[in-house]
Amino acid sequence: MFFMRKIISILMKKRWMMLMGLSFIVYHLSLNGSVAQSLYEQNIRLGEMFQSSGCLKQAEQYYQTAISHIDHNDKKQWVDARLHIVDLQKFWHPVEAQKLNDEIINDCKAWPELYQHSLAINAYINFWMNNKASFNKANEQYLEFCRQHEDLPTTYDKPLQAMHEALNGFYNDALRTIDQNNPGSVLRHQLRLRIFEMKGDNNAIIRELRQRSATIDSLIATTYSTNLNEVATTHSMTLAQQKAEKRSSDMVLLTLLMAIIIVMMFGVWMYLHRHHQKKLEKKNKQLSAALKMASETDQMKLEFVQRVSHEIRTPLNAITGFNEILNNPDIPLSQEERKDLVDRINENVKAITGIVDELLQVANTESMQDYAPYDTVLCNQFLSDLIKKNRDNVGSNIELRYTTSVINRFSIQTNRDIMEKIIEHLLGNAIKFTKQGFIELNCAQKLGKVIITITDTGCGIPPEKQDEVFEQFAKADSFRQGIGLGLTVSRKMAQKMGGDLQLDKNYTTGARFILSLPVK
């Protein structure tokens, strides 16, 4: 018994600070309910909680408090409360527990589950006091009663089996049986300690003491994590005990307050959950967009290779074919035919050169951060010169003209070469797609910007393609020569000079592009 007293001594020295959580205090009250009944149930539950954690003194205090709130007309409640005291003391004070159990065991017969518990406790106590004959008798009574009531729980079967094996000297079998029943409970450690004591295995007792201490610590930590607010709960119980007979409505108010807290906590949880879901959805959208962009980039690369290959292969094939004709002695050619073939070869060489220049412009535009505005450009003179430069490229049935609303000395600070490339490309497109009518280059000033408009009476751009005209490889006419990068490059160059290039969607007689550049 020395080691048993040692166990109790170790437990009595500890002062466990435990959170008595809201989850252990469930109020079954309505406006017409019993406050005393509620306090009884609260204290019983708290006593069970502390008993399962190995804090016997604290558990006994709650059981005694529960007894003080018993409804004297409820005999089952009276018997159940005392049975909790017996169950608590069965190993701690077995003699006192035996006396109290003998007093109430006959009263327990009215309720099978209570009588089963009382019979089991009787066997527990006799095992603890090493009364083999009395244990066997109590165990037989328990087993016979369970055979008559098959619907009763089997909570006590394995512990009693282990006790029977231990009293008959089958210690290892008893230990195995115990381990099959709730391996993390304090009861398991108590039974194992008793069996080690019966075996005289002091080393095993010391190890089991350490394991028991660890189990109790774990149970306390678990109880701590599942509770929310010890101070609020204890305070509410104290107020309820003081005012139980005076103001039963306080309990209803407290229940309502707890419900509000739970609703608020649920609301906070829902908010955090939704916030997390939104962040997750946002990340998923970003990931989907990145995957889509990567897929589009791969597709664009493929289209780029295919388009460039096609655009270069066509003039190369022509150059190769014309060259073979020129160098074939078996084909008689006049001087005019030879000149025509050479001119065709030169045209296709220019076409390839134009494609290469277009690609170089793309690379140069992507690599440049911006274009330094180090040139002073007199707009009227500059744009008039561009018109004169391109006049020989249009037919007699097309009027190429320049109009302006700015004064002759009006100038802007910009990059001349880049500005010329943009306007040259826009004029080239207008000339390419206009068969008759006019092509007009106009200059105006508005809100600190110069507005240069290129208008034609050509075939225009279909409405369904207007939104994608500035995208890479976009072409209004897929049969025309070019790889569809001109407008893309022109807009990027305009933007890197601080301006922009737009398509006038309201103009339907042909096409109209509007280039805006800062004056300074």
Side-chain angles (χ1 to χ4, degrees):
M1 298 296 291
F2 168 79
F3 289 101
M4 291 294 96
R5 289 194 295 273
K6 186 67 176 176
I7 295 171
I8 296 173
S9 176
I10 291 172
L11 293 175
M12 292 299 293
K13 288 180 181 178
K14 291 186 177 288
R15 296 294 182 265
W16 305 107
M17 296 300 295
M18 305 188 62
L19 285 175
M20 296 170 291
L22 300 176
S23 59
F24 288 96
I25 304 177
V26 182
Y27 294 102
H28 299 289
L29 290 178
S30 62
L31 291 174
N32 298 322
S34 169
V35 175
Q37 171 70 18
S38 175
L39 290 173
Y40 168 80
E41 293 176 356
Q42 293 168 23
N43 283 280
I44 286 293
R45 288 190 180 91
L46 289 168
E48 291 172 345
M49 179 185 73
F50 281 102
Q51 181 179 351
S52 66
S53 301
C55 301
L56 306 183
K57 272 287 187 182
Q58 193 72 27
E60 184 180 24
Q61 290 178 9
Y62 280 106
Y63 288 148
Q64 292 295 349
T65 304
I67 290 174
S68 68
H69 293 289
I70 287 177
D71 182 355
H72 296 288
N73 295 323
D74 190 338
K75 188 173 182 180
K76 182 179 180 181
Q77 192 179 86
W78 184 87
V79 173
D80 181 59
R82 281 156 179 76
L83 196 57
H84 275 84
I85 296 291
V86 175
D87 187 61
L88 178 70
Q89 294 183 345
K90 62 180 180 291
F91 297 148
W92 188 14
H93 299 301
V95 176
E96 289 82 352
Q98 183 70 66
K99 291 179 181 179
L100 183 56
N101 194 45
D102 290 341
E103 293 175 4
I104 64 173
I105 192 168
N106 288 328
D107 294 326
C108 292
K109 291 181 179 179
W111 300 278
E113 67 278 9
L114 297 183
Y115 188 58
Q116 179 198 27
H117 191 186
S118 181
L119 290 175
I121 290 175
N122 191 31
Y124 281 20
I125 294 171
N126 283 290
F127 167 76
W128 204 254
M129 294 191 299
N130 205 23
N131 295 331
K132 182 176 180 181
S134 298
F135 170 82
N136 288 336
K137 180 178 178 182
N139 191 35
E140 284 297 326
Q141 287 181 319
Y142 171 82
L143 294 174
E144 179 61 28
F145 185 74
C146 289
R147 282 193 288 269
Q148 296 173 4
H149 300 79
E150 296 181 355
D151 58 334
L152 291 174
T154 60
T155 309
Y156 317 103
D157 291 6
K158 286 293 183 181
L160 289 175
Q161 179 186 338
M163 295 176 194
H164 180 267
E165 292 169 344
L167 286 172
N168 285 279
F170 303 111
Y171 301 121
N172 292 334
D173 293 339
L175 291 171
R176 282 192 292 270
T177 302
I178 291 171
D179 290 340
Q180 296 173 7
N181 184 65
N182 195 3
S185 68
V186 176
L187 175 62
R188 169 182 173 271
H189 291 292
Q190 289 175 320
L191 293 177
R192 284 175 61 86
L193 284 167
R194 180 61 177 151
I195 293 170
F196 288 138
E197 185 180 6
M198 294 167 69
K199 289 177 65 177
D201 191 344
N202 293 339
N203 291 331
I205 291 175
I206 293 173
R207 289 195 303 270
E208 193 66 27
L209 279 171
R210 292 172 179 169
Q211 293 178 7
R212 175 193 170 93
S213 179
T215 298
I216 291 176
D217 287 343
S218 176
L219 289 171
I220 290 174
T222 301
T223 304
Y224 185 92
S225 65
T226 57
N227 287 276
L228 299 175
N229 195 324
E230 177 188 15
V231 175
T233 304
T234 305
H235 180 62
S236 65
M237 285 188 58
T238 302
L239 290 177
Q241 290 174 348
Q242 292 175 348
K243 301 178 181 180
E245 301 300 329
K246 295 180 181 180
R247 297 179 61 188
S248 61
S249 61
D250 287 353
M251 296 300 295
V252 177
L253 181 61
L254 183 59
T255 304
L256 179 61
L257 178 61
M258 292 177 65
I260 292 173
I261 292 173
I262 293 172
V263 170
M264 291 176 63
M265 291 178 63
F266 180 75
V268 171
W269 179 85
M270 285 294 295
Y271 171 78
L272 294 175
H273 177 70
R274 288 178 181 176
H275 182 67
H276 175 72
Q277 287 294 109
K278 287 181 179 179
K279 288 178 65 178
L280 187 61
E281 289 175 3
K282 183 178 179 181
K283 289 182 179 179
N284 287 337
K285 288 180 179 178
Q286 291 174 346
L287 181 59
S288 298
L291 291 173
K292 183 179 179 181
M293 185 178 297
S295 176
E296 290 176 351
T297 301
D298 290 339
Q299 184 63 29
M300 287 173 63
K301 289 178 181 178
L302 179 61
E303 291 178 0
F304 173 78
V305 173
Q306 292 175 343
R307 193 179 292 268
V308 171
S309 299
H310 171 75
E311 294 296 334
I312 292 178
R313 188 183 299 113
T314 301
L316 277 177
N317 290 336
I319 291 171
T320 302
F322 295 147
N323 186 58
E324 288 178 355
I325 295 173
L326 285 172
N327 292 288
N328 191 338
D330 296 332
I331 301 177
L333 295 173
S334 65
Q335 192 66 27
E336 291 181 358
E337 289 173 333
R338 285 183 177 277
K339 183 179 181 302
D340 181 61
L341 290 175
V342 171
D343 290 341
R344 289 173 182 250
I345 290 174
N346 289 333
E347 288 177 3
N348 284 282
V349 169
K350 288 181 180 179
I352 294 175
T353 303
I355 293 171
V356 173
D357 287 342
E358 207 169 341
L359 294 174
L360 291 174
Q361 285 180 0
V362 173
N364 183 55
T365 304
E366 293 293 339
S367 63
M368 290 290 292
Q369 293 296 325
D370 51 33
Y371 295 102
Y374 51 75
D375 298 320
T376 300
V377 177
L378 293 169
C379 291
N380 286 335
Q381 179 182 340
F382 175 76
L383 296 174
S384 297
D385 290 343
L386 288 180
I387 289 292
K388 295 174 183 177
K389 181 180 176 180
N390 287 275
R391 196 172 299 280
D392 294 336
N393 298 329
V394 299
S396 58
N397 57 341
I398 300 174
E399 180 186 0
L400 182 61
R401 65 195 184 203
Y402 171 67
T403 59
T404 181
S405 61
V406 299
I407 60 177
N408 285 335
R409 61 178 179 273
F410 176 75
S411 64
I412 63 173
Q413 199 72 21
T414 188
N415 189 304
R416 177 188 293 271
D417 293 337
I418 301 302
M419 181 178 176
E420 182 175 351
K421 287 180 180 179
I422 297 172
I423 299 174
E424 281 278 16
H425 178 76
L426 295 174
L427 285 173
N429 277 353
I431 293 170
K432 185 189 301 183
F433 293 104
T434 304
K435 300 301 181 184
Q436 60 182 4
F438 68 86
I439 298 172
E440 180 181 277
L441 181 61
N442 176 265
C443 180
Q445 182 186 9
K446 184 178 180 181
L447 301 176
K449 291 183 178 293
V450 60
I451 309 299
I452 300 170
T453 307
I454 298 90
T455 307
D456 64 56
T457 56
C459 59
I461 299 173
E464 66 273 10
K465 292 189 176 182
Q466 289 181 352
D467 291 332
E468 59 184 45
V469 72
F470 289 104
E471 295 180 4
Q472 290 186 358
F473 311 122
K475 295 173 65 177
D477 186 353
S478 59
F479 296 101
R480 293 278 184 173
Q481 196 174 53
I483 55 176
L485 292 173
L487 289 175
T488 305
V489 174
S490 296
R491 170 180 267 187
K492 287 185 177 180
M493 289 192 297
Q495 290 172 344
K496 290 189 177 184
M497 288 196 298
D500 199 7
L501 177 62
Q502 298 289 337
L503 170 67
D504 185 356
K505 297 180 181 180
N506 296 321
Y507 181 73
T508 57
T509 309
R512 174 179 290 157
F513 287 90
I514 303 171
L515 172 64
S516 62
L517 295 173
V519 174
K520 293 184 180 180

